[in-house]
Every structure is written in structure tokens, then in C-alpha cells.
Amino acid sequence: MFIYTVKSGDTLSGLAGMFGVPAGRIAADNSLRMNSGLAIGQSLVIMSDTMRYKIQENQTLYSISQEFSVPLEELLNANPNLNPIDIPIGATVLIPISSGAIRRPAVTNGYAYTNITELALNCAVPFLTFLSPFSYSITPSGELISPDDADIVYNAARSAVMPLMVVTNIYDGTFSTEVLSEILADESATERLIGSIMYELDRKGYYGVNLDMEYISPDDREIYNDFLRRLSDRLHSGNYVLMTAVAPKYRADQPGILYESHDYSVQGQYADYVVIMTYEWGYTYSAPMAVQPINEVRKVLSYAVSEMPSEKIIMGMPNYGYEWTLPYMRGTAARSVGFAQATEIAVAHNAEIMFDEKTQTPYFYYTDNGVRKVIWFDDPRSINEKLKLVDEFDLAGASWWTINRCYVPNRLVARNAFEIAKL
């Protein structure tokens, strides 16, 4: 696999000749329309082990080896008929693309709304260990409200993907601090909730629970920790998996209702896996910025591995970006955009895609009907850089929110980085 950054004059047919890969394959592997134009700065996944490169003025095999990070010896071995001392301008050099280090196993999870299309589901399941249909909600008495999840559970299981039952404190369409407090304060309601979870697991054929409780009252921190312990004991006695989802924290005493009751140490003790939702720095009502800046994610993971076993941590990955209208006015909403949609907009408006080195994130500006806009999103290059954090911190793997949009590079980059675990 090679990640190529588009330059002026590049076309799909030209890249096909350069890499020996059909143009249609390049388009499909990057969720592009056939015969799509390309934007300068756009990054592409190329599924090839060799690149054909024409020598330009003042270039040598050594300079090419440095530019493409290929050992000179490998370059020489791939081009035995070239005289390395005297290579004419315009000569074709075969550049071997390194497959990198031996891939280690990693687990992956994908959240999905149950209205996911068959196309999007089939796009994602080849690189998933777990599939988490979103979601069961709760009532004040501790009863569960089931989503329409039968089809997605069946399709996951037949694809060797383990479906997990997502349980949230959503009530009446939103995460409810009050309803969860009411349940935790009532022993019979708490036991009813645990019992309902166990019943649904057996009835639906789920392999475990993905517990996504958000906006928990700081006053409920300890009683919620005890709820985790009790649920963990019941699940593990039935050989079920417990995965939890937590907000991204920099320190134990981080203030705010999103953070205070997510006790990383306790979560790491009772859960088999903990998804850290390392995204939404840029969000609907924020100023324009990266959704998942790698510098901030690294800070969160540095703290997380000090509180829980790294092999339990799953790093969250967004499968969306945002478009902001400029000049930005506080309180105005950004529009969610898919990664493929973002590149289509860049191509349509002849916009150059830039790459922010600090956050390792692409972005671009364009004008639509006289209105200036900016889009921050992710592409193969940024996805690849962020997935390197899994190895850097020795994490369990990565989780995507959500897989409802098909973006093929998610699958290709992840499978190039890891051996996807099937449990």
C-alpha cells in the first residue's frame, strides 16, 4: 500500500500508469466516482507494491531513496538494468513500496445507526472485530427500549463480526443525567436494568455490552462505579464482553459533567475494553478546527495509559468532518460532511487541499455562491498517522463513529496497519 499526495496535472489514468493499478481500482479504493477529477493536495490509497517514477533533472537514485524513504539497496535491487552513476533524465525507475513492519493483531469496533445501508455495512465489516448498533435507551424505572437491530446483528454475526449491545442513558432522544441518577438511586431499578441487559443479550444473540453512559452527574461517580462492578460481574459470569465508552480526559480531576464521573482507573479495572472518544475537538458549534487533532489525542492517551492497562484501550476515530461558513460567528452551526463528500467538494471548486502538520489533518477553503467556507476532514494520510498511535501507546485497537458512511480507505489503511482480530 502507498499513500500518494496529488500534484498539479495528476489524473486517475496517469496514476494508473505510474503504479500499474487500473484507474477504476484507484477510484473504488478511495470512494471516488469513476473518472473523478482530483484536487491538488488530495491523498489517495494506492494498493500496489511498485511505483514507476521518471527521473527529473538533478535527481539520483540516492535522492529518490531519500524522497520516498526506500533504502538505496532495495532501490538498486529493483532496478538492476540501470547504471546508478549515469541515469538519463526521463528514465523510468521502479520504486518498491515497503509493506512496513510485521502487522500485529488489533481489535476494531464500528458504531452504526440501525438504518445503515447494506452498502455501508458491507463496506465496513471486512475490517471490524466488533459491531455496535446504536442504541438501546432507558426508562426511569430501569427498563430498556430496543432499537430495530435484528438485521444488523444477523449480518454482523454471519460476517464473523461480534455484535455488541450498545446501552445508553438516552431518554426522550437525549442523554439524560436525571434519568440515570434516578435509576442509580433506586436499587430495584438498578437491578431491573442489569437484568434487562442480561435478558436482551441472550434473546438477541449479542456477544456483550458496549456501555455508553454520558453526562453522568458528578455526585453519582461512586455509585456509577459500583454499577460498573456489578454489571461486569454478571456479564463475565455469562462469558460476555464488557466494553465502555468514555470522554477524552487529560487528568483525573478534569472538571465538567462529561468527564468527572468517567473514572479511568475503575473503567480499566472492570471493562474488557474502553473506547476513548478521542474526537469532537472541532464540533457543530465550535470554531473551525480539526475534529481529531493528533496532538490533543496524544495527550489524552498519555494520561489514559497511566490509569488503565493499555491493552484495554480502544482509540476513537471519527468518520466525518465539518464545514464552517466564514467568517465564523459564535453560535452558528457547522455542517457534517463525509470524507468522500469533502474531496468531491474540493474537486468541484478547484480547491487545493492543505495539510496541517500540528494536528495531522487536511483542510481546504472554497467559495460557494459568494460565501467563503472551510472544511476540516480526514483522508488516508491523516487516518494512517493517527492509527500509528495504536502502536505508539500499545493500545488494543481503534473504533469508528460511525460506519454509516462508506469510506473505503478506513478499511484499507486499518488492514495495512494491523491484523484485524477476530475473537
Side-chain angles (χ1 to χ4, degrees):
M1 187 193 84
F2 187 75
I3 296 177
Y4 179 81
T5 301
V6 173
K7 301 177 180 63
S8 177
D10 281 337
T11 62
L12 284 176
S13 59
L15 294 178
M18 182 184 296
F19 289 97
V21 177
R25 172 72 187 276
I26 297 175
D29 286 346
N30 290 278
S31 294
L32 303 177
R33 302 177 193 277
M34 187 57 189
N35 300 319
S36 170
L38 300 174
I40 296 173
Q42 177 181 357
S43 74
L44 300 170
V45 173
I46 309 292
M47 300 305 293
S48 175
D49 57 7
T50 306
M51 174 181 177
R52 295 169 175 82
Y53 184 81
K54 289 188 176 181
I55 291 287
Q56 300 174 32
E57 190 174 0
N58 297 323
Q59 283 189 317
T60 65
L61 283 186
Y62 177 75
S63 69
I64 292 173
S65 75
Q66 296 298 299
E67 180 178 352
F68 291 95
S69 300
V70 176
L72 181 58
E73 184 178 356
E74 289 187 21
L75 203 55
L76 290 167
N77 290 337
N79 296 274
N81 297 323
L82 285 180
N83 181 349
I85 300 175
D86 183 22
I87 304 178
I89 295 173
T92 298
V93 176
L94 295 181
I95 302 176
I97 299 170
S98 174
S99 60
I102 296 174
R103 298 177 301 162
R104 71 169 177 88
V107 299
T108 55
N109 175 63
Y111 287 95
Y113 289 109
T114 55
N115 64 351
I116 187 172
T117 65
E118 184 177 0
L119 171 65
L121 186 61
N122 291 338
C123 178
V125 291
F127 81 108
L128 295 180
T129 308
F130 301 107
L131 177 62
S132 297
F134 199 84
S135 76
Y136 278 78
S137 55
I138 58 175
T139 70
S141 62
E143 296 172 336
L144 290 171
I145 301 172
S146 173
D148 183 13
D149 56 357
D151 287 345
I152 195 170
V153 171
Y154 170 76
N155 287 328
R158 74 173 184 174
S159 302
V161 176
M162 297 175 67
L164 297 180
M165 173 186 176
V166 181
V167 179
T168 70
N169 58 321
I170 291 176
Y171 177 71
D172 199 22
T174 188
F175 285 98
S176 175
T177 302
E178 295 75 19
V179 168
L180 182 59
S181 288
E182 191 173 336
I183 293 172
L184 294 175
D186 183 340
E187 173 60 30
S188 63
T190 301
E191 185 56 35
R192 187 177 299 113
L193 176 57
I194 293 174
S196 297
I197 290 172
M198 300 304 297
Y199 173 77
E200 288 293 297
L201 286 171
D202 182 61
R203 184 174 77 90
K204 294 284 188 70
Y206 277 110
Y207 284 76
V209 171
N210 186 332
L211 192 66
D212 181 15
M213 299 293 189
E214 302 185 28
Y215 297 94
I216 306 167
S217 170
D219 293 336
D220 291 334
R221 177 185 172 106
E222 295 308 321
I223 194 171
Y224 180 67
N225 285 343
D226 187 62
F227 169 73
L228 281 177
R229 176 190 60 78
R230 292 169 61 181
L231 178 61
S232 174
D233 287 346
R234 291 283 291 276
L235 291 171
H236 291 150
S237 68
N239 293 318
Y240 291 110
V241 170
L242 174 59
M243 181 182 293
T244 61
V246 299
K249 297 176 65 168
Y250 301 112
R251 62 181 194 272
D253 59 351
Q254 187 166 330
I257 195 169
L258 274 174
Y259 313 104
E260 292 181 44
S261 289
H262 281 167
D263 187 326
Y264 275 26
S265 178
V266 171
Q267 299 267 345
Q269 181 179 353
Y270 296 128
D272 299 290
Y273 299 103
V274 180
V275 175
I276 303 179
M277 296 179 282
T278 41
Y279 39 80
E280 286 285 278
W281 274 266
Y283 61 97
T284 304
Y285 291 100
S286 77
M289 66 179 297
V291 175
Q292 189 187 35
I294 196 170
N295 52 315
E296 299 299 333
V297 175
R298 185 174 277 110
K299 293 176 188 176
V300 171
L301 295 178
S302 294
Y303 164 65
V305 297
S306 73
E307 291 283 358
M308 66 179 87
S310 64
E311 63 270 18
K312 289 189 174 187
I313 297 172
I314 296 177
M315 179 181 67
M317 298 282 290
N319 191 30
Y320 60 93
Y322 285 110
E323 175 193 83
W324 286 267
T325 298
L326 301 175
Y328 168 73
M329 296 180 63
R330 187 174 181 180
T332 57
R335 178 173 73 106
S336 176
V337 296
F339 300 156
Q341 179 186 6
T343 56
E344 287 177 358
I345 293 171
V347 170
H349 293 272
N350 199 29
E352 180 177 352
I353 297 174
M354 294 166 283
F355 196 82
D356 182 67
E357 292 294 337
K358 181 178 181 181
T359 63
Q360 292 290 292
T361 309
Y363 67 100
F364 64 90
Y365 297 94
Y366 75 101
T367 300
D368 184 26
N369 293 323
V371 179
R372 185 77 166 157
K373 299 184 179 183
V374 62
I375 292 179
W376 287 81
F377 66 112
D378 275 310
D379 64 5
R381 179 178 172 184
S382 64
I383 293 167
N384 187 56
E385 291 303 315
K386 291 165 189 176
L387 286 180
K388 289 178 182 178
L389 295 175
V390 173
D391 278 337
E392 180 179 332
F393 288 93
D394 196 25
L395 307 181
S399 172
W400 276 260
W401 179 271
T402 69
I403 60 167
N404 281 61
R405 288 178 170 126
C406 175
Y407 188 60
V408 178
N410 279 329
R411 178 177 79 210
L412 299 180
V413 175
R415 294 182 73 172
N416 184 69
F418 315 115
E419 186 70 37
I420 306 299
K422 297 292 185 179
L423 305 180

